[in-house]
Amino acid sequence: MSAKIELNIPENHPRYRAMMIRHDMIEGCHNKVVAPAGLIAQGRGEAFDYLMGEKTNSFADRAIKAAAAAFLLAEKPVISVNGNTAQLLPEGLVKLSEATGAPLEVNLFYRAEGREEAIEKKLKDAGAKEIYGIGENLCATIPELTSDRRLVDPRGILVADLVFVPLEDGDRTEALVAMGKKVITIDLNPISRTPRKAHISIIDNLVRAVPKMIEYVNELKKLPKSEIQKIIDEYDNKQVLRDSLLKIADRLTELSKEI
Ligand code: PTJ
């Protein structure tokens, strides 16, 4: 099967961007960066994005700001990268890593031959210099986990005090929280176990949230530590989750009136 898809989507199509991303993900699947199940995950994300108006809502903005603050106060932050995130926003992940000083660590749920290398190449092409979690460096385990996500880099996730796990499955989030680590996630599905278990849950699309997070990191860097700490102290993750569900409910009510 050819990896190239002939696209004929007019730029004025109302869902042009989402459709281009969809096809880029399919391309990523042919190139082994994205797991086949990653396409299903992308579709689920798209559905929730659609329900929330395909924009960064104020509850997501609050979480993005708190996440930026948490990165700045962490001693050993790490950015966990899976196939979907590597395909969706490789340059964004590299820039976030540079802005925060947090290394990128590849951590996969679906380990298949060639995937690790394909993701490493994707990140290196985007400018990454060092990537954790590759080859022989994948030699530590998280004992609380049984999936392949248990394999980690002893310099990264194993010893991190903060782990950023965008587009994650619930098991590892729970395990990382149980290990005493601060966990930040991005997940468009507020009902999913990951955002319910994480400390900071960004209910937004990765492609919008990460660039915004980089902006906040660069802005907050100029503040004294006490003010950065205040942002975290005042942050309420449960309220963010509630607001995101209410947003979906309100939007459905509005839409029902238009019919
Ligand atoms: O590359 P691997 O092998 O590590 O596998 C990665 C996937 C994503 C396939 C794996 O972690 C998985 O199966 O994840 P889940 O359990 O499907 O969860 C992914 C979550 O991300 C879902 O709740 C989606 O709604 C959400 N999601 C998908 N696309 C986006 C998103 N959230 C934010 N932005 C997106 N673009």
Side-chain angles (χ1 to χ4, degrees):
M1 193 181 351
S2 158
K4 279 271 167 227
I5 301 159
E6 284 301 321
L7 287 183
N8 192 16
I9 304 168
E11 282 187 36
N12 61 355
H13 190 288
R15 308 208 59 254
Y16 177 78
R17 180 135 198 251
M19 288 174 87
M20 292 305 285
I21 291 175
R22 181 182 288 189
H23 287 284
D24 183 60
M25 293 299 278
I26 295 171
E27 195 94 1
C29 192
H30 287 299
N31 296 336
K32 293 190 173 181
V33 172
V34 176
L39 297 181
I40 298 169
Q42 169 70 14
R44 179 142 56 124
E46 269 186 22
F48 277 96
D49 207 9
Y50 204 67
L51 287 174
M52 286 183 285
E54 292 179 303
K55 60 173 188 180
T56 300
N57 288 288
S58 57
F59 51 81
D61 190 73
R62 290 194 319 261
I64 296 169
K65 190 173 180 182
F71 259 115
L72 291 173
L73 293 185
E75 275 173 26
K76 271 185 170 287
V78 174
I79 301 168
S80 179
V81 182
N82 65 23
N84 282 46
T85 57
Q87 184 68 27
L88 281 167
L89 207 65
E91 284 88 8
L93 295 172
V94 173
K95 281 189 190 140
L96 182 66
S97 167
E98 285 165 0
T100 57
L104 299 167
E105 176 165 342
V106 175
N107 184 274
L108 300 180
F109 189 81
Y110 299 100
R111 288 212 164 265
E113 215 190 310
R115 279 200 75 207
E116 204 179 285
E117 294 76 9
I119 294 170
E120 182 183 24
K121 181 173 180 331
K122 186 88 189 165
L123 293 173
K124 287 224 159 129
D125 288 349
K129 290 184 184 70
E130 196 181 11
I131 305 163
Y132 286 6
I134 302 284
E136 62 192 22
N137 290 320
L138 202 66
C139 54
T141 52
I142 298 179
E144 287 86 347
L145 273 179
T146 50
S147 76
D148 275 352
R149 284 216 190 279
R150 74 186 185 285
L151 301 167
V152 291
D153 192 313
R155 301 165 298 171
I157 291 171
L158 191 73
V159 292
D161 59 340
L162 179 150
V163 192
F164 177 40
V165 287
L167 282 62
E168 178 72 12
D169 50 277
D171 281 357
R172 188 165 66 127
T173 306
E174 273 187 307
L176 293 173
V177 170
M179 288 169 84
K181 299 178 191 298
K182 186 149 189 141
V183 178
I184 302 172
T185 193
I186 298 181
D187 195 324
L188 277 159
N189 176 5
I191 315 164
S192 161
R193 203 155 35 117
T194 303
R196 285 175 171 243
K197 296 290 172 190
H199 298 103
I200 300 176
S201 306
I202 300 164
I203 312 297
D204 195 9
N205 199 316
L206 177 100
V207 299
R208 290 189 299 266
V210 168
K212 185 92 200 145
M213 202 189 294
I214 297 167
E215 274 176 36
Y216 269 128
V217 166
N218 291 329
E219 200 182 295
L220 299 182
K221 258 181 194 170
K222 297 170 197 150
L223 298 181
K225 257 190 172 181
S226 57
E227 281 190 45
I228 303 176
Q229 183 63 52
K230 198 163 165 252
I231 294 167
I232 295 177
D233 294 344
E234 288 173 358
Y235 177 73
D236 183 346
N237 204 48
K238 284 207 167 107
Q239 195 56 48
V240 162
L241 294 177
R242 273 185 220 112
D243 288 351
S244 65
L245 288 169
L246 289 172
K247 170 77 195 182
I248 294 173
D250 289 348
R251 206 168 131 75
L252 289 175
T253 307
E254 267 170 43
L255 289 170
S256 73
K257 288 179 192 156
E258 287 171 18
I259 292 167

